[in-house]
Amino acid sequence: MATTVQGAPGTRERFSQWLNAHRKWLFAAPAMIFTALLIAFPIGWTLYLSLTDAKGSVRSPKGFVGIENYLSILSDLNRFWPAVLRTGAFTAGALALELALGMMIALLLWRPFRGQRWARTAILLPFVATPVAVAMMWRLIFEPNIGFANRFLSWFGIPAQPWLSDPTTTLPTLVLVDVWEFTPMVALILLAGLTTISEDVEEAARIDGANAWQRFWSITLPLLKPVVLVAVLLRAIDALKTFDLLYVTKGQGGGSFHEAETLNIFVYDRTFKYNDYGLASAALIIFFLLILVIMWFLTFRRRGAKL
Amino acid sequence: MTQAKWTGTRRSFIAASAAVAGAGALSACGGGGGGGGDSTTLNVTLANHVWTDLITKKISEFEDDTGITVTVTQLSEDQLVDNYKVKLNAGSKDIDVMMYRPLQVGKLFGQSGYLLDISDKVGDAGDWNWDDFQKGPVELTTYEDQTVGVPIITESEMVYFRKDLLKASGLDVPTTMEELENAAKTIKEDNSGTAGIVMRSQASAAVTQFSGFLYSFGGTWIDDSGNSAIASAEAKEAYAFYGNLLHSYGPDQMSTDMSWPEASAIFAQGNAGFWIDASSLYQNVYDPEKSKIADQVGFTPFPAGPDGSKPYNVAAWALAINGESPNQDNAWKFIQWATSPEMTLEIQKEGVPSARTSVWDDPAGTESYPEELAEAIAKNAENGVGYDRPRVNGVAQAREIVGGPIVAGISGGDSDAAADDANAQFQELLDGEK
């Protein structure tokens, strides 16, 4: 008040106090702004494109068409809705099998035994292989005329199966490949959860005369619930977005009859093959909302589940 | 700066759609913007092809002569197209010379202004002799009277057959559609486990090989007034014929996923009597390293239908200059060098059919070919039609549509009804492009 230059220290002091009070935000700000831009920009741009008739080249003149793209996507009974159904069927099928099998494998590997480390490594192999290479391999195995799968069946006198070449068996076959590839990941997450469960509870149940099934159903599973939820969430989002496996095995349009055309294949083709950017963006936004809704269902609706 | 920002968003949209689509790899090739522009470095993007293997071996000669450094990016066809679409959409400057399929993307790229008008360059090239290039291919690399590309590889629809199987069944080499069907039928009956014929069966992939059947039966994709013609009586007949060939005389387990790699593999394994596909693929079944039946492969021109023998005879690949390239003069130097008469002759000797008349007239140009193949190619060129798929902007979409009736027939369904269905969809696509 007495000697220093008027105003300046006061302001500076107030400013530095403000900085001090908000320092955690301040230090995190650059990263947060960057991340926000990185996420917001593409989504914003996609949203903008979805309201235009962008086609052929993104740089050519565009007209604003409002929600026309959304209407034509949502009224597309030939390709869009079947793709939604296939996405759901593929995800649900793969997820159910992967959870069941993953749980079995995790329980088997839970208790220490000889050669445990080898078993755990071997189980992980399909999961660490490159997805595109895996898809190529299965495509060759399932080739109906010269593939290994049918040769293998012929040793047991079982007639040749069409596998990926028949529209009715394509999706189940692809689910099997996905199960082969990603069950290890689910098993790994569940195994990590199992190892955190204390032995005491289990022991108490055993002393009370609970059999193995009861112990699993009433003790282990409830304790494992949050971990199961994490596994479901991670795998569901991934399975919804499956692309490499489907595109490598069935190619453009998900095969000749679109038998493997899921939402992702649908959007990819409209972007890179048809160059119909407006329509593709609208489908992407719908897809994005769909994933958000599913995530919300899985996480926020289940109070008590801490992720 | 705003400019950079804009390309940034544009790129990030494409990157985002690619990433969300799970094709994360594509988003990594942002590039562009300030890339390129260095006048002594030339960025050349080429497709995986025998032609590319031959030219890349010689690029050092070009570098020594001109002092230009050439950076080659080599991709498979699908990736190549996706890569172009990402980069050219973003106005990228880091592609100078691009190898492209005129029939697949020529119209779209021309309309989007991606390809540089090189009419003056080819006109003033003197000894390089633009007039030496075949008419059909040149037509394909022309967009609205502007020359935008130089054709480098031609191909026509070839019938590959097994001499031993034909002989064993006492059959002559087929020259008409009826004879072809009969031969396929006989071979299938006489040889258990062997298909009479194998061809592409995937809806989009099969379209190009089906085109020769369509023309020979008197059909076409689009009539003179610009409307869909795929439900005409002739087209329906062609659809039914192609579908039935594979349905009745194809491999035991007929899939609808086959493109040329699968079909040629079955033939090269010795599991089929006939294989019909592009002439440029002959090494896949004629090279003893790749084929079990190399010494038994015969070649014959496309058989005649009710309207004569009308195979496709097209420019499969061409070279163009990116309209945004800052290095257009050097890009043109490279194209001139890669397509000079001498270089073309050298490459054709290695088995890659060119688009230069003088090279085909020169005996040295065909001496390395199996004699029957060279004759069949020449015969196909006489009768050929210069396009093998609908000439529209949305080629990929059109192929899916017009391929529908093919797979309907292959799987034993009603190809006539499928043709009517496809006709309506195709008409809609054509109306949308008018």
Side-chain angles (χ1 to χ4, degrees):
Chain A
M1 174 109 204
T3 54
T4 42
V5 187
Q6 291 273 317
T11 326
R12 192 181 306 157
E13 204 157 314
R14 264 208 304 274
F15 183 57
S16 89
Q17 264 171 2
W18 181 86
L19 287 184
N20 223 349
H22 297 91
R23 64 179 179 278
K24 62 179 178 192
W25 292 105
L26 191 75
F27 283 114
M32 281 165 64
I33 291 168
F34 180 73
T35 311
L37 286 181
L38 207 67
I39 294 172
F41 247 154
I43 293 178
W45 180 254
T46 309
L47 195 62
Y48 157 70
L49 274 180
S50 73
L51 301 171
T52 68
D53 58 3
K55 214 176 153 67
S57 169
V58 180
R59 283 187 294 160
S60 55
K62 295 181 272 288
F64 186 80
V65 296
I67 57 165
E68 201 178 293
N69 288 327
Y70 290 90
L71 293 179
S72 70
I73 291 261
L74 292 171
S75 63
D76 177 1
L77 298 176
N78 281 333
R79 300 285 289 273
F80 177 75
W81 286 109
V84 173
L85 285 177
R86 277 185 217 106
T87 310
F90 178 84
T91 306
L95 201 60
L97 285 170
E98 279 158 23
L99 267 181
L101 283 170
M103 183 62 86
M104 283 183 213
I105 293 170
L107 288 170
L108 281 175
L109 298 178
W110 184 16
R111 299 280 174 242
F113 59 91
R114 278 188 59 165
Q116 187 182 34
R117 281 177 51 208
W118 290 106
R120 286 187 185 189
T121 314
I123 286 286
L124 276 181
L125 284 178
F127 171 55
V128 293
T130 316
V132 171
V134 165
M136 291 285 241
M137 179 186 85
W138 282 103
R139 189 181 164 175
L140 289 172
I141 290 175
F142 284 133
E143 207 293 326
N145 292 296
I146 44 185
F148 176 75
N150 282 346
R151 185 165 304 176
F152 180 77
L153 291 184
S154 70
W155 295 338
F156 303 97
I158 303 170
Q161 300 298 316
W163 302 111
L164 291 168
S165 61
D166 184 316
T168 52
T169 55
T170 296
L171 220 50
T173 308
L174 288 167
V175 166
L176 283 183
V177 176
D178 196 77
V179 166
W180 175 87
E181 197 173 351
F182 289 107
T183 300
M185 181 184 120
V186 177
L188 199 68
I189 297 172
L190 295 178
L191 189 60
L194 282 173
T195 49
T196 61
I197 296 177
S198 94
E199 297 271 336
D200 308 352
V201 195
E202 174 96 9
E203 208 173 318
R206 199 176 296 146
I207 288 163
D208 288 343
N211 63 27
W213 175 250
Q214 286 170 323
R215 289 202 302 275
F216 169 72
W217 197 248
S218 320
I219 311 277
T220 314
L221 206 56
L223 284 172
L224 207 59
K225 208 169 165 182
V227 181
V228 171
L229 203 64
V230 170
V232 168
L233 197 68
L234 285 175
R235 200 49 221 127
I237 291 172
D238 245 7
L240 279 172
K241 296 190 306 182
T242 303
F243 176 83
D244 31 33
L245 169 66
L246 305 176
Y247 214 80
V248 168
T249 50
K250 297 300 287 184
Q252 188 187 327
S256 289
F257 300 98
H258 312 303
E259 59 267 32
E261 186 172 60
T262 61
L263 268 177
N264 228 342
I265 303 284
F266 178 88
V267 170
Y268 180 87
D269 277 347
R270 265 141 203 78
T271 307
F272 288 102
K273 303 291 176 212
Y274 298 6
N275 312 300
D276 208 335
Y277 304 112
L279 219 60
S281 304
L284 263 183
I285 297 284
I286 294 169
F287 191 15
F288 183 58
L289 291 175
L290 189 82
I291 292 187
L292 282 184
V293 166
I294 290 171
M295 275 175 64
W296 181 81
F297 260 96
L298 281 173
T299 54
F300 298 102
R301 276 196 65 249
R302 311 182 53 117
R303 265 168 311 175
K306 287 194 177 61
L307 282 175
Chain B
M1 193 60 227
T2 26
Q3 181 52 40
K5 216 180 212 164
W6 274 114
T7 39
T9 47
R10 207 175 280 133
R11 262 206 309 279
S12 44
F13 151 67
I14 297 170
S17 44
V20 176
L26 287 167
S27 62
C29 56
D38 173 3
S39 61
T40 57
T41 316
L42 194 67
N43 296 303
V44 178
T45 310
L46 304 174
N48 284 342
H49 196 288
V50 187
W51 184 91
T52 304
D53 300 338
L54 296 168
I55 216 84
T56 41
K57 278 185 202 145
K58 298 183 186 290
I59 276 181
S60 57
E61 295 171 21
F62 172 76
E63 288 176 316
D64 294 344
D65 288 350
T66 57
I68 299 169
T69 314
V70 179
T71 317
V72 176
T73 311
Q74 205 176 321
L75 297 163
S76 72
E77 187 181 343
D78 261 1
Q79 287 172 314
L80 183 86
V81 175
D82 290 351
N83 188 15
Y84 285 157
K85 284 181 180 170
V86 172
K87 289 193 171 184
L88 299 171
N89 254 315
S92 170
K93 292 182 169 53
D94 63 356
I95 299 178
D96 300 313
V97 177
M98 40 197 280
M99 179 168 169
Y100 76 110
R101 262 197 190 282
L103 280 160
Q104 188 73 12
V105 295
K107 207 168 170 182
L108 173 76
F109 284 10
Q111 197 183 38
S112 306
Y114 294 161
L115 308 175
L116 186 72
D117 176 5
I118 52 173
S119 311
D120 297 348
K121 291 187 162 71
V122 298
D124 303 341
D127 285 348
W128 178 77
N129 195 1
W130 180 230
D131 295 336
D132 188 21
F133 286 84
Q134 295 168 355
K135 288 281 172 293
V138 164
E139 206 175 301
L140 288 180
T141 57
T142 306
Y143 178 74
E144 292 187 346
D145 303 327
Q146 302 173 349
T147 305
V148 291
V150 177
I152 48 177
I153 301 159
T154 56
E155 54 188 25
S156 64
E157 191 159 14
M158 185 58 56
V159 179
Y160 301 86
F161 63 90
R162 286 273 300 279
K163 292 176 181 172
D164 52 339
L165 294 181
L166 246 64
K167 202 170 161 187
S169 298
L171 294 159
D172 290 332
V173 177
T175 56
T176 66
M177 291 289 175
E178 290 88 8
E179 288 170 9
L180 174 71
E181 182 173 5
N182 178 45
K185 181 170 181 252
T186 313
I187 288 176
K188 173 123 181 158
E189 285 165 359
D190 291 355
N191 306 276
S192 149
T194 302
I197 186 166
V198 63
M199 295 187 287
R200 299 188 193 185
S201 65
Q202 206 271 337
S204 303
V207 167
T208 49
Q209 308 316 308
F210 167 71
S211 70
F213 288 84
L214 178 69
Y215 310 145
S216 302
F217 273 91
T220 182
W221 304 112
I222 303 167
D223 66 17
D224 295 339
S225 42
N227 292 318
S228 164
I230 57 169
S232 68
E234 294 87 359
K236 281 180 174 172
E237 205 181 341
Y239 274 127
F241 185 82
Y242 188 101
N244 179 52
L245 269 187
L246 286 176
H247 179 70
S248 303
Y249 319 118
D252 291 337
Q253 286 287 329
M254 194 58 226
S255 84
T256 50
D257 292 335
M258 286 199 284
S259 182
W260 68 264
E262 293 80 9
S264 66
I266 290 177
F267 186 79
Q269 287 273 334
N271 294 347
F274 287 90
W275 171 49
I276 297 181
D277 215 306
S279 54
S280 53
L281 299 172
Y282 81 94
Q283 290 289 17
N284 291 289
V285 294
Y286 188 72
D287 177 349
E289 301 225 328
K290 296 180 184 169
S291 169
K292 283 185 179 172
I293 40 95
D295 53 343
Q296 292 298 340
V297 179
F299 309 90
T300 185
F302 197 70
D307 213 43
S309 161
K310 292 192 172 170
Y312 64 80
N313 180 42
V314 301
W317 290 97
L319 292 178
I321 302 175
N322 174 9
E324 298 281 331
S325 159
N327 211 349
Q328 294 168 356
D329 290 336
N330 286 339
W332 173 241
K333 270 187 202 162
F334 178 86
I335 293 182
Q336 259 193 305
W337 167 81
T339 58
S340 70
E342 303 77 29
M343 183 66 81
T344 308
L345 179 61
E346 257 183 79
I347 291 179
Q348 177 154 328
K349 277 184 182 169
E350 299 286 339
V352 181
S354 79
R356 275 188 181 269
T357 318
S358 62
V359 171
W360 283 104
D361 292 344
D362 184 343
T366 52
E367 67 185 6
S368 66
Y369 284 61
E371 201 175 324
E372 295 158 7
L373 178 70
E375 281 169 20
I377 289 177
K379 193 103 181 83
N380 275 346
E382 280 169 38
N383 310 325
V385 177
Y387 51 96
D388 61 1
R389 61 201 84 184
R391 285 173 297 177
V392 293
N393 280 332
V395 175
Q397 194 172 357
R399 282 178 78 161
E400 265 182 43
I401 295 171
V402 302
I406 302 176
V407 290
I410 292 171
S411 49
D414 181 353
S415 66
D416 284 5
D420 289 327
D421 245 6
N423 190 50
Q425 290 178 49
F426 191 39
Q427 187 61 47
E428 205 177 316
L429 183 144
L430 291 170
D431 291 341
E433 289 193 4
K434 273 173 189 163

